[in-house]
Amino acid sequence: MLPFSQKPHSKFSFFKLLFWVSQLLVLSSGFELDESLTYIWPLPSEFTSGNETLAVDPTLSLSVSGKGGDLKILREGFERYKKIIFKHVSGVSIFEKLRGITSVYDISELRIIVNSDSEELQLGVDESYTLFVAKNDGKSIVGGATIENVLHWHIIDEQSFPLEVPTYPNLWNGAYTKWERYTVEDASDIVSFAKMRGIHVMAEVDVPGHAESWGAGYPDLWPSSSCREPLDVSKNFTFDLISGILSDIRKIFPFELFHLGGDEVNTGCWTSTPHVKQWLNDRNMTAKDAYQYFVLKAQEMAISKGWTPVNWEETFNAFAANLNPQTVVHNWLGPGVCPNAVAKGFRCIFSNQGVWYLDHLDVPWDQVYNAEPLEGINNVSEQNLVLGGEVCMWDEVADTSNVQQTIWPRAAAAAERLWSKREAVSARNITLTALPRFLYFRCLLNRRGVQAAPVTNKYARQPPTGPGSCYEQ
């Protein structure tokens, strides 16, 4: 699963800012622009623009001051985007500088003021910035830039257990093959790679359902050989193993949120397996009671290791009154969950499958764009409990051959919905205000090597239906 999570209605992070600047630099003369629109995606919450065109030196330099002047994450981000923006540099500017010739470029230096010296990426950091660009002045100032986007990595499912767990090494016997596994080093590299791009990695170990693959290495986790999930609630070994998994992977994933799943738990195995049924009877528990018992016990383990637990909405729907108050409720089944969750004081993540599941290929861009994570939540304090939204890319219908065009450009439609105030888009005709910018953005992705699918095709990731401009597909 490759979701993207952002805090709703906030201003851009620094990397979004660089992305914005890059779009301004590469506007194509072959595309007839609507001069009333600003071709930036996603739009920042507030912006003004002038009427002049500025030239940026391909040898653009970076000057960082403030507490964060030595942040590696910032400097590497600058160099990475500079290479994306200026792919073909002739070296003329360098030659001119060596000869003492005055630069013909308006912008030759990007100046950044960073008010924080911390590279830690946690919830609640200040993401605001100010960008000012003036002709012949060479000013670009970013204030208080910190970063928050999240990758939710659903590492394990019933079909495969690909992650190495040193304390329980047989678990990855449940991988599809020995070539389709993640070592501890692999997972650590992914987290480090993400951090340098300002991305949290929120890991998910889904319990007690979606766990048949666990028993390939430890069959005692199955209620029986013929009834293999959910995990056996009656055995201490089950919880010892979960604790061992969490202890091992806590060393890999520093992000404060940890996803414990809890969705689609069919308790039929428990009630149809004699020893589990007897365990339930001895404790005067129903299968629903056992489901609650399992979820709450797993939450306690995660909290004891310094994580905040995230659970799919079924846990809230089934026993909201008993969930740990720290729980973040993750919506997916449909609308209305986040309003109910925040009304009870829980935080919530919006992922309504009807609009924000990217494997639903028949959902058009405008439905993705118009989804509102704060719908039905009018109290400001309750709105603040909605951490953001997440579009989900489940890989049952995607692999490396088609994943990019499945994700893009529709994920970007949700991104603008999260980054822009809902009042700014809800009362307008998005065919006029958003679609031209979205078409342009998709072509920009294509030029950068991202295999984003055409915007308006009825079926997502479908190729162009005929000859025509990139901007009209």
Side-chain angles (χ1 to χ4, degrees):
M1 180 166 65
L2 300 171
F4 303 81
S5 178
Q6 296 170 303
K7 185 178 179 180
H9 312 147
S10 63
K11 298 182 181 180
F12 272 142
S13 67
F14 172 67
F15 293 101
K16 289 290 189 297
L17 180 154
L18 286 178
F19 195 57
W20 177 13
V21 173
S22 72
Q23 291 188 74
L24 295 177
L25 298 177
V26 297
L27 280 171
S28 168
S29 59
F31 180 41
E32 186 175 346
L33 298 176
D34 181 341
E35 298 297 336
S36 67
L37 299 178
T38 300
Y39 282 78
I40 301 169
W41 195 282
L43 282 177
S45 60
E46 299 173 7
F47 67 93
T48 58
S49 58
N51 55 10
E52 295 185 274
T53 300
L54 307 185
V56 180
D57 192 335
T59 64
L60 184 72
S61 61
L62 174 67
S63 172
V64 185
S65 58
K67 294 181 180 178
D70 294 325
L71 291 181
K72 182 181 179 182
I73 190 172
L74 190 64
R75 295 185 178 277
E76 289 196 5
F78 172 80
E79 292 300 328
R80 187 165 58 251
Y81 269 86
K82 184 177 173 181
K83 290 177 182 177
I84 292 173
I85 297 167
F86 301 106
K87 287 189 174 180
H88 306 289
V89 179
S90 64
V92 173
S93 178
I94 298 174
F95 177 72
E96 290 174 343
K97 287 182 178 180
L98 290 174
R99 293 181 56 193
I101 298 175
T102 303
S103 174
V104 296
Y105 299 102
D106 300 297
I107 307 297
S108 59
E109 182 181 65
L110 179 63
R111 301 178 196 159
I112 302 175
I113 302 172
V114 183
N115 293 326
S116 171
D117 60 357
S118 174
E119 289 189 351
E120 289 299 315
L121 305 177
Q122 297 295 351
L123 295 174
V125 296
D126 180 7
E127 302 176 78
S128 62
Y129 72 88
T130 301
L131 169 67
F132 176 68
V133 184
K135 190 173 180 66
N136 296 323
D137 199 359
K139 291 182 180 177
S140 292
I141 302 175
V142 183
T146 22
I147 309 102
E148 182 176 353
N149 295 342
V150 173
L151 169 65
H152 172 180
W153 187 8
H154 186 91
I155 307 173
I156 300 155
D157 214 311
E158 65 182 275
Q159 295 87 3
S160 176
F161 196 117
L163 182 66
E164 178 185 19
V165 179
T167 303
Y168 291 94
N170 292 343
L171 279 169
W172 72 353
N173 290 353
Y176 287 125
T177 67
K178 65 180 181 181
W179 301 285
E180 295 170 292
R181 292 172 171 173
Y182 297 99
T183 65
V184 169
E185 291 76 16
D186 290 334
S188 296
D189 286 347
I190 289 170
V191 172
S192 297
F193 183 88
K195 179 180 179 179
M196 295 312 297
R197 286 151 181 80
I199 299 171
H200 303 298
V201 178
M202 176 176 68
E204 178 180 356
V205 175
D206 194 351
V207 293
H210 292 280
E212 179 178 343
S213 62
W214 298 37
Y218 297 95
D220 281 350
L221 294 170
W222 291 332
S224 72
S225 60
S226 60
C227 203
R228 299 182 172 186
E229 62 179 13
L231 296 170
D232 193 329
V233 68
S234 71
K235 294 177 181 174
N236 290 333
F237 174 66
T238 300
F239 296 100
D240 291 341
L241 183 138
I242 292 173
S243 180
I245 292 174
L246 298 185
S247 294
D248 280 356
I249 67 176
R250 189 64 176 106
K251 303 167 188 174
I252 304 172
F253 299 101
F255 185 45
E256 67 189 86
L257 299 183
F258 185 81
H259 210 301
L260 289 165
D263 63 315
E264 297 183 317
V265 178
N266 182 349
T267 57
C269 260
W270 292 344
T271 56
S272 63
T273 302
H275 78 269
V276 181
K277 184 176 181 180
Q278 185 62 50
W279 184 89
L280 294 174
N281 292 337
D282 291 345
R283 288 156 181 78
N284 197 27
M285 293 173 68
T286 65
K288 182 179 178 181
D289 294 333
Y291 171 41
Q292 174 182 298
Y293 168 81
F294 202 120
V295 168
L296 298 185
K297 198 170 180 66
Q299 286 192 333
E300 290 173 4
M301 293 178 186
I303 292 169
S304 72
K305 300 179 191 309
W307 272 313
T308 296
V310 183
N311 283 97
W312 294 108
E313 69 174 77
E314 285 96 327
T315 60
F316 173 79
N317 297 337
F319 43 88
N322 295 318
L323 277 178
N324 189 291
Q326 296 184 45
T327 304
V328 177
V329 177
H330 194 168
N331 150 250
W332 75 278
L333 285 172
V337 173
C338 282
N340 292 335
V342 299
K344 294 182 180 296
F346 292 101
R347 289 176 292 174
C348 191
I349 297 171
F350 176 88
S351 291
N352 179 355
Q353 65 169 339
V355 286
W356 278 9
Y357 266 35
L358 297 175
D359 57 308
H360 293 193
L361 302 177
D362 58 346
V363 178
W365 80 273
D366 55 318
Q367 289 185 24
V368 178
Y369 186 81
N370 283 326
E372 177 49 67
L374 298 182
E375 185 174 1
I377 308 173
N378 299 314
N379 181 288
V380 174
S381 63
E382 292 183 354
Q383 289 180 350
N384 291 334
L385 293 175
V386 179
L387 295 183
E390 179 180 292
V391 290
C392 301
M393 176 55 249
W394 297 96
D395 65 6
E396 288 94 328
V397 295
D399 61 13
T400 53
S401 69
N402 60 10
V403 67
Q404 286 192 335
Q405 58 265 47
T406 309
I407 295 172
W408 303 109
R410 290 184 303 159
E416 176 154 301
R417 198 57 171 132
L418 289 167
W419 282 102
S420 303
K421 294 179 179 178
R422 58 177 173 174
E423 293 80 9
V425 293
S426 58
R428 301 183 183 181
N429 184 339
I430 64 171
T431 301
L432 300 178
T433 61
L435 181 56
R437 293 186 298 106
F438 200 42
L439 290 168
Y440 170 75
F441 177 73
R442 178 258 171 172
C443 295
L444 177 66
L445 290 175
N446 284 174
R447 288 201 298 273
R448 290 188 177 172
V450 178
Q451 299 166 6
V455 169
T456 56
N457 281 7
K458 182 177 180 180
Y459 195 69
R461 78 183 182 204
Q462 189 175 26
T465 56
S469 166
C470 173
Y471 303 99
E472 296 174 354
Q473 294 290 354

